[in-house]
Every structure is written in C-alpha cells, then in structure tokens.
Amino acid sequence: SYGVAKLSGSDRMENAPMAFVAETFQSPTGASLRLHVQEADGQPLGVVQIHHGLAEHSARYARFASELARAGFHVYAQDHRGHGGTVVSNTPRQMFAWKDGADKVIADVDMVHDLIAGQHPDLPVIAFGHSMGGLITLNYAMKHAQRLAGAAIWNSNFSAGALGHVARALLAWERFRLGSDAPSRILPKLTFQAWNRQFEPVRTEFDWLSRDEAEVDKYVADPLCGWDASVSLWQDLFGFIFAGANDAGLKAIPRDFPLHLLGGERDPATDGGKAVSHLKGRLDRLGFTAVDCTILPETRHESLNETNREETTRRFLEWARETVARAG
C-alpha cells in the first residue's frame, strides 16, 4: 500500500472547488507525488486520470475537473516529476530524473492507476493528456492499454521527423557542455519563443497559448508555469515523441481501443493541428477503428483555457460517456 498524507487547507487552490483536494503519495520510484483528486457528483460513471503539459501543473485543471465531476466522473490529476508540488529527493525541479526519467514518469502514472483501481475497482478509467501530457498518455497506453477504457490525446505532436533528430543532436551537445540539469538554451528558442512570434504583435510571451487574455495572464502570473525545462527533460520528451512516432509501439494497442484526438487550427505546437491529423492518419492506416479526431477552428494551444472551452469540454464529455458505456 502507498502512504497517503492529506495536505492542509492552505494547499487547496484558491478559487477552486473545495472538492479538488491536494494530497501527496509516495511512488515506488522515489517521487513524492502531488495529486489532486475530485469525487464525482452522484452515481459515478468512471474515472478520468489527467496528465498536464510541460511547465505547468495539475491544479490548473480545477475547472475541467469540476465539469467532469458534475458529469459523473472521479478525477485524479498528478503533478509529474519536475513540475508543481511533486518533489524527488536529490533531483532539481524542471527535470524528470537524472537517469531513465521517461520510464519513471510512466511508473508514477501506473502507481496512480493502481491507487485508482484500489479505490474504484469496478469503474473504467480514461487517460486524458494535454500537450506533454498527451505524449505521456500515448506512451502509457502503448504499455498498459489493457488498464484503460480509452485515451484522450490533445494538442500533442508526434511528428518530430528530421527536425526532431536535429533537436536531439543539439540537446546532446548542450548536455555535454552544460550538464543534464541545466536549462536548455536552444530548445526554448525553437519552441515557445518561435511559436509566440507567430502572433506578433504580442502582448505577452505566451500569447500562443490562448485567445483568452485573462487565462494567459493567469499563466504568466503563476510561478509554477512558463519556466525553461532542463536539457534532460527535453531529451526525455523527445524519447516520448519518437516512441509514439514508431508504428511498432502503436501495434501494442488493441485496434478497437477508443482514442480521442483534438487540436487547434492556430496551435503552433502542432503545426496548426496538422500533427494531430497526421497521428489520426497513421492510426487509420494501422487499422484502428475507434478514433475520434477534431481540429477546432481558430483555436490555439490550451484548448481547455480557450474562448471556446465550453464546446471543447462538451465534445470530451460526449466521447467519455460513450467510452465508459462501451466498457460496460
């Protein structure tokens, strides 16, 4: 069994539903995981396990968790290694681990799944991932699809191609020169900064996230958001990307496994949603039969914090209800 320590009321999000409670759990990997949990209203239909994006944290999903709870879903949302309130002894923030970080992240996800299975053994579980969280979600499904009723992969890019190999070479050089725990100097220029330039003239460094200025301002003001990832964290992310880009890994997932893909037409992180559509095409060619894919017009990167978030949430809930009903 895993040690559980509920945190004090001061650790609950201000302005968040009181039910979105922060707890800590010790993972067998050595991580002290911050986990937000919200119980379903009324008779539960299933569980949604949320995986957040790069340089953010799970508490930002309070509004989404509240909507899911009202629709009958328990919600579990952890801070991944290097992010939010999760702490790993002798490991700096902004990196997964000194060694085998990607594997340890998947092991942490599986531990939370064990926790869910122990508390709700008869309920189907859906994995939901945004951006980096989508990378984690697909990689988890490639190893543990039998534990899931379905997976939602939003705003994620598995189309690294030649540029991905170049980025890996640059990261190897940075690791040699700077060390694995140093912030990458190159990747932020190729990603966040380059993406934001597509919306010039810009108001902030993160206009690429959403058209909703209030949501962008919340992100900018949050000290747990927007930081530069370490060299090793970027290397681990590209490990996830290239694993998901390999058809051999996808073949481990049953062909009738429900997948919900979503992207934004103005999301520079997915090349305007083209990377999401490319993943859909690969899945179709491999014979997957239960893939739902939507590219939302004018939508930027953070679909859940965009001006059309009500429509986006509705689409997910419709799919989630169908998926858990299918799982019985």
Side-chain angles (χ1 to χ4, degrees):
S1 62
Y2 300 101
V4 180
K6 279 197 175 183
L7 302 179
S8 65
S10 62
D11 285 300
R12 294 177 178 179
M13 277 190 64
E14 286 187 36
N15 304 320
M18 290 300 290
F20 201 54
V21 179
E23 305 175 343
T24 56
F25 295 85
Q26 296 302 316
S27 170
T29 66
S32 179
L33 292 177
R34 174 65 62 92
L35 177 69
H36 283 85
V37 179
Q38 181 150 354
E39 297 293 315
D41 295 345
Q43 185 67 28
L45 302 174
V47 182
V48 176
Q49 186 177 2
I50 294 176
H51 302 299
H52 64 74
L54 176 65
E56 59 154 345
H57 54 92
S58 62
R60 296 186 71 231
Y61 292 76
R63 180 173 56 214
F64 186 46
S66 182
E67 293 292 334
L68 293 174
R70 279 196 286 270
F73 290 92
H74 298 309
V75 181
Y76 288 70
Q78 73 192 73
D79 287 347
H80 293 292
R81 288 165 160 265
H83 294 75
T86 288
V87 177
V88 184
S89 178
N90 299 320
T91 303
R93 292 186 181 275
Q94 303 167 6
M95 66 185 298
F96 285 157
W98 289 103
K99 183 180 179 182
D100 302 325
D103 290 338
K104 289 175 180 175
V105 167
I106 296 300
D108 291 339
V109 171
D110 205 39
M111 185 281 291
V112 175
H113 192 95
D114 285 343
L115 178 69
I116 295 170
Q119 295 180 346
H120 309 289
D122 299 323
L123 291 179
V125 180
I126 290 172
F128 171 94
H130 158 70
S131 194
M132 177 189 81
L135 306 182
I136 293 169
T137 296
L138 183 58
N139 276 264
Y140 183 79
M142 290 191 297
K143 295 182 178 181
H144 302 289
Q146 75 282 359
R147 305 201 74 183
L148 299 172
I153 301 164
W154 285 20
N155 313 304
S156 299
N157 191 337
F158 291 93
S159 305
L163 289 178
H165 289 288
V166 171
R168 274 186 146 177
L170 292 171
L171 287 166
W173 180 83
E174 283 195 310
R175 187 165 191 158
F176 173 74
R177 292 295 302 271
L178 305 174
S180 60
D181 59 330
S184 171
R185 298 175 182 176
I186 299 173
L187 265 295
K189 296 177 182 178
L190 299 179
T191 55
F192 290 11
Q193 295 174 28
W195 297 338
N196 211 48
R197 283 196 295 271
Q198 296 185 27
F199 298 95
E200 291 180 340
V202 294
R203 194 177 58 88
T204 75
E205 295 180 357
F206 296 98
D207 285 15
W208 63 278
L209 293 176
S210 172
R211 292 167 291 175
D212 189 326
E213 293 185 357
E215 292 296 330
V216 173
D217 288 344
K218 288 179 187 177
Y219 182 92
V220 172
D222 191 331
L224 298 178
C225 291
W227 38 265
D228 290 334
S230 65
V231 172
S232 70
L233 179 47
W234 278 112
Q235 289 181 312
D236 288 331
L237 292 185
F238 275 97
F240 282 142
I241 291 170
F242 278 96
N246 187 344
D247 288 350
L250 294 176
K251 290 177 181 177
I253 303 175
R255 292 300 178 270
D256 61 348
F257 184 78
L259 287 159
H260 190 268
L261 310 183
L262 185 138
E265 188 182 54
R266 297 294 309 281
D267 175 14
T270 60
D271 191 18
K274 293 177 183 176
V276 178
S277 298
H278 179 71
L279 177 58
K280 170 64 162 62
R282 288 177 55 215
L283 293 167
D284 288 344
R285 288 193 296 275
L286 290 170
F288 283 81
T289 60
V291 182
D292 183 293
C293 182
T294 302
I295 307 299
L296 296 170
E298 297 302 316
T299 305
R300 300 184 189 180
H301 186 60
E302 287 197 339
S303 302
L304 291 174
N305 293 320
E306 258 284 14
T307 55
N308 57 346
R309 55 183 169 263
E310 290 184 5
E311 175 193 355
T312 306
T313 301
R314 177 185 58 78
R315 285 176 179 271
F316 175 77
L317 287 174
E318 289 175 354
W319 174 84
R321 291 190 189 99
E322 292 174 1
T323 297
V324 296
R326 176 179 176 177

